[in-house]
Amino acid sequence: MIKSVLYRFFAFLTKAWPLLSNQFKLLKTKNMAFNKRVKIQELFTQDYVGKEIVLMGWVRTKRSNKNVSFIALNDGSTIKNYQIVADPNQIDEELLKKATTGACLKIKGTVVASQGAGQSTELVASHIEVLGEADAEKYPLQPKKHSLEFLREIAHLRMRTNTFGAVFRVRHALAFAVHKYFNDKGFFYIHTPIITASDAEGAGETFKVTTLDLKNPPLTEDGSINYKEDFFERETNLTVSGQLEGELAAMGLGEIYTFGPTFRAENSNTARHLAEFWMIEPEMAFYDAEDNQNLAEDFLKYVINYALENCQDDLEFLDKRAAEEETSKKADQRSELGLLERLKFVVNNDFERLTYTEAIDILKNSNHNKKKKFQYLVESWGVDLQSEHERYLVEKHFKKPVILTDYPKEIKAFYMRQNDDGKTVAAMDILFPGIGEIVGGSQREERLEKLTQRMEEMHIPTEEMWWYLDTRRFGATPHAGFGLGFERLVQFVTGMGNIRDVIAFPRTPGHAEF
RNA sequence: UCCUCCUUAGCUCAGUUGGUUAGAGCACAUGACUGUUAAUCAUGGGGUCCUAGGUUCAAGCCCUAGAGGGGGAGCCA
């Protein structure tokens, strides 16, 4: 009897073992720390008082007197520093001397309630190990405010500052929120190619991709470069957009998005352009222009709200930072809302939606235009809007994000769906205060004849694009999508004025140092 | 690419009408201080005034050219 029970039990174990062991593995992974240190962030969310722990991090400042040293330590897990108390009777003085600003330390000690006013707990050190010294004479970062321009020149070190720590934690949260939003909505993440052969998007200058010897390239009979001998046996470049491939994917998977690097070789020197940036491009079968607008607005509100809920400390810091910057601006250039107020406002209010035609009317009749305060006066329907006009609409007239729709077809790309009026296309641009265009999108032209006709008008080679046109030949359906510049989103949420300060290692004309 | 402003100590910046030895705060070094919060106080070291040329008895300051950076514009996300 006992034997049979035992036998059954072992039989069960044998069968179930792979499953159980998998469960154990999962449990193990969940609780596994890869080293024994405690992250500073945990010290603010869990009670460690009385416990002996190990911290690792970088010295921000050290304050000393005869009897005691205080080290403000930061490990990047949070913007908050943690106070280390070092008694010179306990810790070797020579060792403490090496704990200069920027040095990396491993500290063993006990968490206690703080005697001082600025923090509720602190770590009384029993052992300090200097993992990496930082020669105070040479280390460029000091416990003071540095200019963003200076920090840009030492981009390899700037993550160690409060500002850039905050920016990159927020950037991460936004990137994560992008994936979460689309995943929760049943969208599929598509990796569109980085190297492409099509130069037909019309989205600007491209970077060439080649393995040919640039000093001595193979030539054809007429003297031009023979790309047949190149790696791909054709001319290739870095992608300027994943949209066209995204459309192909949406025609089978329904709703997809891309989130990848994008390259533009434009000689753009502005606070909102990069040569290498990250773009999010959802593409949806069965969506019309209005569905597209609804998705874009909902998406933007979601990711901004996600940052508000998950990056409170960092955003509060950036809010104060932005407020200080504001004081140095001229009165007429200051924004009415602070950073946090602005983010909450965007999350809680509907975007203003209007057509290009309505926008032109507003601009034409504005006092600003009548008093000739625009550099480019708005006189007739059909002109492209200048950034001063977009800013006027967003910052002065509506004072909220604006979705502009139905632009003249002449100023928009070939793939946008032509409206019945014969003059406009189902485009949409979303304009944000301080940033300008953050989203550009449209319902796509799904009608083969209309699309090929427009391509021919705009001198886009239809033969090369046979694969794109095939989606209109076989099982075509109304569909729509948009592109969102990720760095511009990060700019808006962090309040950083220059796009070069929201990407780790910016690529701009003349700059690829790090 | 165009317009415009800027470049003085490791960092942030002042420097008068062209006139003697170029300044401050922070940082750094030394010292003081019984728990600090970008600690404080005292003392000290630290300069190719972006580069090249020019004007002048004399240039950080004026002129020309170049380099680097900021802001704005275009292109766009």
Side-chain angles (χ1 to χ4, degrees):
Chain A
M1 179 68 188
I2 292 169
K3 214 174 170 183
S4 94
V5 169
L6 269 179
Y7 179 81
R8 276 193 196 173
F9 177 67
F10 281 118
F12 165 76
L13 260 189
T14 323
K15 264 192 183 169
W17 184 247
L19 265 175
L20 283 171
S21 80
N22 227 355
Q23 288 297 317
F24 287 141
K25 262 187 216 158
L26 280 174
L27 277 174
K28 219 173 152 192
T29 314
K30 224 176 177 180
N31 295 321
M32 185 160 59
F34 294 95
N35 55 39
K36 289 201 177 138
R37 74 172 174 127
V38 170
K39 289 191 193 182
I40 288 173
Q41 194 263 337
E42 298 169 55
L43 292 170
F44 289 101
T45 51
Q46 296 167 39
D47 185 13
Y48 275 92
V49 174
K51 288 184 182 159
E52 184 173 76
I53 61 163
V54 172
L55 285 185
M56 296 192 193
W58 294 270
V59 176
R60 285 296 175 77
T61 61
K62 183 179 62 178
R63 300 174 288 272
S64 304
N65 60 40
K66 225 186 226 171
N67 302 294
V68 64
S69 283
F70 300 98
I71 296 168
L73 196 77
N74 189 285
D75 68 359
S77 61
T78 163
I79 193 161
K80 293 175 186 161
N81 298 330
Y82 201 69
Q83 175 150 289
I84 313 298
V85 185
D87 180 346
N89 297 322
Q90 188 98 47
I91 307 292
D92 179 35
E93 213 168 315
E94 285 305 304
L95 199 67
L96 270 178
K97 266 191 182 171
K98 288 181 185 168
T100 54
T101 299
C104 189
L105 305 182
K106 176 180 180 180
I107 299 154
K108 198 170 164 188
T110 307
V111 178
V112 299
S114 177
Q115 296 173 36
Q119 56 285 314
S120 59
T121 67
E122 61 197 10
L123 187 71
V124 177
S126 57
H127 296 281
I128 292 182
E129 187 186 333
V130 179
L131 299 175
E133 292 180 36
D135 184 343
E137 289 271 317
K138 292 174 186 153
Y139 185 60
L141 292 173
Q142 298 155 26
K144 60 165 279 188
K145 203 180 149 132
H146 290 286
S147 70
L148 295 174
E149 293 81 18
F150 171 67
L151 292 172
R152 228 169 271 155
E153 288 167 20
I154 51 166
H156 58 305
L157 297 173
R158 66 181 179 169
M159 273 78 165
R160 303 181 188 195
T161 64
N162 286 335
T163 299
F164 285 92
V167 165
F168 289 113
R169 279 185 296 270
V170 171
R171 183 181 166 113
H172 160 79
L174 288 168
F176 183 78
V178 167
H179 287 299
K180 181 160 168 51
Y181 178 84
F182 285 124
N183 183 63
D184 290 354
K185 273 210 144 39
F187 282 56
F188 299 107
Y189 178 30
I190 297 293
H191 298 99
T192 50
I194 306 294
I195 299 171
T196 72
S198 73
D199 189 17
E201 290 96 331
E205 292 295 310
T206 58
F207 290 101
K208 304 292 172 223
V209 174
T210 181
T211 55
L212 293 178
D213 180 2
L214 292 180
K215 284 180 197 150
N216 187 24
L219 300 177
T220 58
E221 278 174 19
D222 65 5
S224 59
I225 293 171
N226 185 2
Y227 285 102
K228 279 262 158 34
E229 291 192 29
D230 203 350
F231 187 89
F232 295 107
E233 298 178 14
R234 58 169 67 204
E235 205 175 341
T236 51
N237 47 265
L238 295 179
T239 182
V240 291
S241 164
Q243 180 200 315
L244 300 188
E245 288 91 348
E247 284 188 51
L248 312 182
M251 291 300 105
L253 289 158
E255 294 164 326
I256 65 95
Y257 70 105
T258 74
F259 186 178
T262 308
F263 307 89
R264 306 259 168 105
E266 300 286 334
N267 191 9
S268 297
N269 288 291
T270 80
R272 55 185 191 284
H273 285 91
L274 291 164
E276 177 183 281
F277 64 100
W278 289 68
M279 191 152 62
I280 297 148
E281 294 178 292
E283 201 65 44
M284 298 76 62
F286 321 122
Y287 272 50
D288 65 15
E290 197 185 338
D291 300 330
N292 200 29
Q293 291 160 33
N294 292 342
L295 179 78
E297 180 169 344
D298 188 55
F299 168 70
L300 280 164
K301 286 176 172 172
Y302 176 89
V303 295
I304 292 168
N305 190 55
Y306 185 89
L308 280 170
E309 285 181 354
N310 290 278
C311 306
Q312 285 180 22
D313 296 337
D314 289 320
L315 288 177
E316 273 167 28
F317 173 83
L318 291 166
D319 182 64
K320 275 187 208 139
R321 213 200 96 80
E324 276 170 36
E325 294 260 295
E326 285 287 296
T327 58
S328 64
K329 283 187 191 166
K330 286 179 196 161
D332 64 324
Q333 285 173 358
R334 285 183 203 165
S335 52
E336 289 169 31
L337 299 178
L339 175 63
L340 282 171
E341 293 171 314
R342 199 155 63 232
L343 297 180
K344 285 174 190 160
F345 181 88
V346 167
V347 167
N348 294 324
N349 288 278
D350 288 342
F351 296 2
E352 190 70 35
R353 299 187 190 190
L354 70 161
T355 64
Y356 166 90
T357 306
E358 289 163 336
I360 287 287
D361 279 343
I362 289 171
L363 289 167
K364 218 168 18 178
N365 295 320
S366 68
N367 282 332
H368 218 75
N369 197 51
K370 285 176 183 162
K371 287 182 186 164
K372 306 203 168 173
K373 280 192 187 161
F374 286 128
Q375 200 185 333
Y376 295 90
L377 293 179
V378 179
E379 275 152 6
S380 58
W381 192 93
V383 296
D384 208 351
L385 296 179
Q386 306 289 320
S387 28
E388 58 176 343
H389 304 140
E390 296 178 351
R391 293 184 84 119
Y392 178 85
L393 287 171
V394 173
E395 289 160 26
K396 295 259 154 39
H397 190 83
F398 291 114
K399 299 186 178 180
K400 54 157 74 171
V402 169
I403 306 182
L404 274 180
T405 61
D406 303 294
Y407 282 74
K409 63 180 179 184
E410 282 75 20
I411 58 175
K412 287 291 178 186
F414 72 90
Y415 48 72
M416 297 192 177
R417 192 176 196 278
Q418 295 171 56
N419 289 329
D420 294 340
D421 61 12
K423 286 158 47 184
T424 61
V425 289
M428 75 159 169
D429 282 2
I430 302 187
L431 311 176
F432 262 36
I435 309 291
E437 187 179 341
I438 195 166
V439 163
S442 71
Q443 185 173 340
R444 315 307 188 191
E445 182 57 81
E446 82 281 11
R447 297 162 296 187
L448 183 63
E449 306 78 45
K450 294 252 182 197
L451 181 60
T452 44
Q453 181 203 332
R454 193 79 192 113
M455 286 172 82
E456 273 156 22
E457 281 168 16
M458 294 174 81
H459 307 292
I460 289 160
T462 47
E463 286 111 65
E464 266 180 45
M465 301 280 287
W466 63 272
W467 44 271
Y468 185 69
L469 293 170
D470 258 11
T471 54
R472 275 65 172 175
R473 288 189 186 105
F474 309 116
T477 175
H479 64 290
F482 61 85
L484 179 138
F486 184 58
E487 280 76 16
R488 289 190 182 173
L489 174 67
V490 182
Q491 263 191 288
F492 181 74
V493 175
T494 59
M496 299 300 283
N498 194 314
I499 201 164
R500 296 163 196 190
D501 297 328
V502 298
I503 187 164
F505 304 107
R507 269 78 179 105
T508 55
H511 296 277
E513 173 89 12
F514 301 99

